Amino acid sequence: MNIVDVLNEIWTTILEVTSVFVMPDWGVVIGWLPVLILLGVVMPFLTFVALGSLLYVARKPRTKVVFEEGPRVAEIGPGGESIFPVGLPHCRRHGLVYPSGTLRCEEDHEDLAVICPMCGLGRTAIIDTCTNCGLVLKVKPRAVAVRTTPGPKPGGAAAA
Ligand SMILES: [Zn+2]
Ligand SMILES: [Zn+2]
């Protein structure tokens, strides 16, 4: 008598014992097994994966977008004064620093100021050439840079 015979005997005994209790419903249980596996294992797994990826997508790109678009609050110096980076448009009243190319404050539509990177003189952001040292700031708004027809307008069409 080897080990396989012993196992077979044990298995036969198990089947005989269990058949007494569960034989009438065994086929039904087998039939429901895929559904039970689906509900018990696959669905929680899928829910977990979906929730995880949702959280990942929701968290990752947001901080990046905030810093690239729209104003950010200027750093505060030791004397309580707002420190504005040179060459970037900013609003002194609201302490906001805007992306390059912005001309007006989103809060009150006031003209923004800009500090010349060369000589440190402040002026309004609308003027792109420094009146002190002549440095020209390239502050072209993105909407203008994307424009498809940068050439001269077709002449005579709208002339009155
Ligand atoms: Zn402002
Ligand atoms: Zn200057």
Side-chain angles (χ1 to χ4, degrees):
M1 204 181 208
N2 57 31
I3 189 80
V4 177
D5 290 331
V6 173
L7 284 175
N8 274 336
E9 199 166 287
I10 293 173
W11 181 238
T12 309
T13 312
I14 291 173
L15 282 182
E16 280 173 0
V17 171
T18 51
S19 67
V20 175
F21 301 103
V22 297
M23 202 54 180
D25 295 331
W26 199 239
V28 177
V29 172
I30 291 291
W32 278 93
L33 210 56
V35 180
L36 291 175
I37 291 173
L38 190 75
L39 289 178
V41 178
V42 179
M43 289 301 282
F45 178 75
L46 283 180
T47 310
F48 184 77
V49 169
L51 277 178
S53 52
L54 267 180
L55 281 175
Y56 182 80
V57 168
R59 278 185 191 177
K60 187 103 200 230
R62 227 167 241 179
T63 45
K64 217 176 163 189
V65 172
V66 167
F67 277 100
E68 281 181 356
E69 309 291 336
R72 60 184 167 90
V73 178
E75 288 178 39
I76 305 298
E81 289 263 322
S82 295
I83 300 173
F84 299 108
V86 294
L88 281 180
H90 57 265
C91 172
R92 287 194 179 277
R93 190 184 300 172
H94 298 106
L96 295 173
V97 178
Y98 284 84
S100 185
T102 315
L103 297 181
R104 292 184 183 280
C105 178
E106 286 179 3
E107 303 288 327
D108 55 6
H109 303 288
E110 285 281 309
D111 287 348
L112 293 178
V114 69
I115 299 169
C116 176
M118 183 98 81
C119 65
L121 193 80
R123 63 173 190 274
T124 54
I126 294 173
I127 307 167
D128 60 355
T129 307
C130 180
T131 51
N132 187 45
C133 68
L135 182 78
V136 178
L137 263 187
K138 302 290 184 190
V139 286
K140 291 257 174 23
R142 269 171 234 176
V144 175
V146 173
R147 195 170 52 182
T148 49
T149 54
K153 293 176 188 173

